[in-house]
Amino acid sequence: MNRLRIGIVGVGYLGSLHARVLSEIDDPHVDFTGVYDIDPQRMEDIAKRYNVKAFPSLDALLDETDAVICAVPTTEHYRVGIQILEAQKHLLMEKPITETVEQATRLVETARQKGLKLMVGHIERFNPAILAVRDKITFPLYIEALRIAYFNIRGTDVDVIRDLMIHDIDLTLYFTREEPISISAVGAPVLTDKVDIANARLEFPSGTVATLTASRVSIKKTREFRIFQRDAYFSLNLMSRNGHMIKRGDEAIIPYFLNMDGSTEPLKLEDMEFIQSIVEDRDPHVTGEDGLRALRIAKMIEKEISKKLAKLEGEET
Ligand SMILES: NC(=O)c1ccc[n+]([C@@H]2O[C@H](COP(=O)([O-])OP(=O)(O)OC[C@H]3O[C@@H](n4cnc5c(N)ncnc54)[C@H](O)[C@@H]3O)[C@@H](O)[C@H]2O)c1
């Protein structure tokens, strides 16, 4: 088999982590060729650190790669993503897939027409706590997610729903395997002009209810995900990557501490999955369609919040 040549566009915070991960993948069939970033200093630093090429343009990177990881800011995802796919290269796009549903639909359709892999970086799917329970979740009745973070200017090109809540939207859709029939939400712009804190309640056709809370204006950091179904309760800490399950035992009600395999970091599992999906010519674990579905729900939540905020403003004036 030919070597799979892979490159990264955008080597800021997350792109530089992808660069470290790619440099650690010890596979003779994979060749980390290089990086491109509009910030030349940053690009040179990363290229030097991992001993790969710093390309003078995205086109130059595309000429020498078969697959690209795209970690530019979300506002650039579509413009850069479509250029990658048009050049006939496989694409791992960071989350959220794009800013708008129309853009995401175009990326998904372009990848499909060209027979390319399009994966989206919903990294929590590779969290050991999620991997430990995914086969045990049969019919979730209730899901509760709490994701709160310190304020950080990175990510504020989009609101907290597309920045943070999108992770829990993706997990909820993954576990329910359904689209919600009703959505209600509240939110507020606290520190930026976009919504910084939000809560959404989703109801699904088979009866599952999910409540998701996301904030980027907190003084502590939490990522909790809880699920209950008829026979079990799962409490997962996605930050410390552990959790427990409560279910009825033969003689007592006992908590089972879930057996996590934390030997490989989620970002590495994600990048390896992207590579494997290309090598094995199969769908990746998180497809472009998954990214599109999560974005569509994020947009519906945003719409509900906008309606409420507009009503409040109307009442104030
Ligand atoms: N999966 C996760 O948990 C997670 C975590 C953080 C960020 N992200 C996502 O990763 C993406 C990047 O976020 P970040 O925090 O690394 O941002 P960042 O600002 O640290 O890095 C972005 C980099 O892209 C470069 N860039 C901007 N426009 C470009 C263009 N047109 N071509 C080439 N380079 C360009 C910038 O110079 C910068 O170095 C965002 O979409 C964000 O949502 C995902």
Side-chain angles (χ1 to χ4, degrees), residues 14-86:
L14 203 68
S16 63
L17 296 181
H18 278 291
R20 197 237 323 127
V21 159
L22 286 188
S23 75
E24 288 169 3
I25 291 179
D26 188 17
D27 182 336
H29 300 109
V30 179
D31 191 5
F32 176 20
T33 41
V35 297
Y36 170 65
D37 195 294
I38 51 168
D39 179 337
Q41 189 57 54
R42 178 164 270 284
M43 173 169 70
E44 289 294 340
D45 287 351
I46 299 293
K48 214 168 169 184
R49 191 179 311 160
Y50 298 110
N51 197 23
V52 294
K53 276 191 192 171
F55 288 101
S57 66
L58 177 56
D59 278 334
L61 177 138
L62 293 174
D63 279 347
E64 291 188 35
T65 49
D66 308 301
V68 179
I69 295 175
C70 180
V72 299
T74 303
T75 44
E76 290 288 290
H77 279 192
Y78 177 70
R79 214 173 56 77
V80 175
I82 200 79
Q83 195 179 336
I84 295 168
L85 294 173
E86 292 291 355

Side-chain angles (χ1 to χ4, degrees), residues 8-18 36-40 42-43 58 70-77 79-80 93-97 121-124 147 152-155 157-158 162-164 166-167 223 267 270:
I8 304 175
V9 51
V11 281
Y13 165 70
L14 203 68
S16 63
L17 296 181
H18 278 291
Y36 170 65
D37 195 294
I38 51 168
D39 179 337
R42 178 164 270 284
M43 173 169 70
L58 177 56
C70 180
V72 299
T74 303
T75 44
E76 290 288 290
H77 279 192
R79 214 173 56 77
V80 175
M93 176 62 87
E94 259 313 326
K95 54 58 43 184
I97 179 167
H122 285 295
I123 193 168
E124 295 291 25
R147 184 176 295 263
N152 188 330
I153 200 74
R154 275 190 306 103
D157 55 337
V158 292
R162 270 172 287 162
D163 181 20
L164 299 182
I166 194 103
H167 288 290
R223 289 179 193 167
L267 196 68
E270 179 183 288

Side-chain angles (χ1 to χ4, degrees), residues 27-284:
D27 182 336
H29 300 109
V30 179
D31 191 5
F32 176 20
T33 41
V35 297
Y36 170 65
D37 195 294
I38 51 168
D39 179 337
Q41 189 57 54
R42 178 164 270 284
M43 173 169 70
E44 289 294 340
D45 287 351
I46 299 293
K48 214 168 169 184
R49 191 179 311 160
Y50 298 110
N51 197 23
V52 294
K53 276 191 192 171
F55 288 101
S57 66
L58 177 56
D59 278 334
L61 177 138
L62 293 174
D63 279 347
E64 291 188 35
T65 49
D66 308 301
V68 179
I69 295 175
C70 180
V72 299
T74 303
T75 44
E76 290 288 290
H77 279 192
Y78 177 70
R79 214 173 56 77
V80 175
I82 200 79
Q83 195 179 336
I84 295 168
L85 294 173
E86 292 291 355
Q88 198 63 39
K89 311 295 170 183
H90 303 290
L91 171 60
L92 166 54
M93 176 62 87
E94 259 313 326
K95 54 58 43 184
I97 179 167
T98 50
E99 275 193 286
T100 71
V101 168
E102 293 70 28
Q103 293 170 340
T105 307
R106 263 178 263 151
L107 287 191
V108 166
E109 278 171 5
T110 306
R112 194 185 303 130
Q113 279 162 10
K114 291 182 170 288
L116 294 164
K117 306 300 168 203
L118 170 58
M119 178 166 168
V120 181
H122 285 295
I123 193 168
E124 295 291 25
R125 295 264 204 114
F126 300 92
N127 189 310
I130 295 296
L131 295 175
V133 298
R134 67 177 178 178
D135 295 335
K136 297 181 173 63
I137 311 286
T138 48
F139 175 51
L141 285 168
Y142 182 65
I143 294 174
E144 181 181 50
L146 181 65
R147 184 176 295 263
I148 62 180
Y150 314 115
F151 183 71
N152 188 330
I153 200 74
R154 275 190 306 103
T156 56
D157 55 337
V158 292
D159 61 31
V160 74
I161 298 120
R162 270 172 287 162
D163 181 20
L164 299 182
M165 191 186 277
I166 194 103
H167 288 290
D168 299 312
I169 296 173
D170 172 66
L171 289 178
T172 301
L173 297 179
Y174 174 58
F175 286 126
T176 58
R177 304 179 197 93
E178 291 185 307
E179 303 263 327
I181 43 170
S182 120
I183 294 179
S184 59
V186 283
V190 178
L191 294 179
T192 73
D193 58 354
K194 302 185 182 77
V195 170
D196 293 314
I197 182 162
N199 171 273
R201 179 185 160 93
L202 316 181
E203 287 186 39
F204 290 84
S206 59
T208 309
V209 169
T211 62
L212 316 179
T213 301
S215 162
R216 57 184 179 194
V217 293
S218 180
I219 52 165
K220 63 175 188 173
K221 203 172 159 191
T222 303
R223 289 179 193 167
E224 287 165 10
F225 200 85
R226 301 187 189 93
I227 304 168
F228 69 71
Q229 56 192 30
R230 272 176 64 98
D231 59 352
Y233 166 65
F234 305 87
S235 174
L236 310 176
N237 185 332
L238 300 184
M239 210 163 68
S240 54
R241 298 173 186 167
N242 57 35
H244 63 265
M245 169 176 76
I246 306 269
K247 66 185 291 188
R248 198 190 308 237
D250 288 342
E251 292 181 355
I253 296 166
I254 26 169
Y256 294 87
F257 290 91
L258 292 158
N259 189 12
M260 313 284 170
D261 176 7
S263 54
T264 312
E265 67 180 299
L267 196 68
K268 189 175 275 180
L269 291 175
E270 179 183 288
D271 288 357
M272 288 187 333
E273 168 62 10
F274 177 50
I275 290 166
Q276 278 311 110
S277 72
I278 299 167
V279 172
E280 293 168 12
D281 192 17
R282 58 162 174 78
D283 281 345

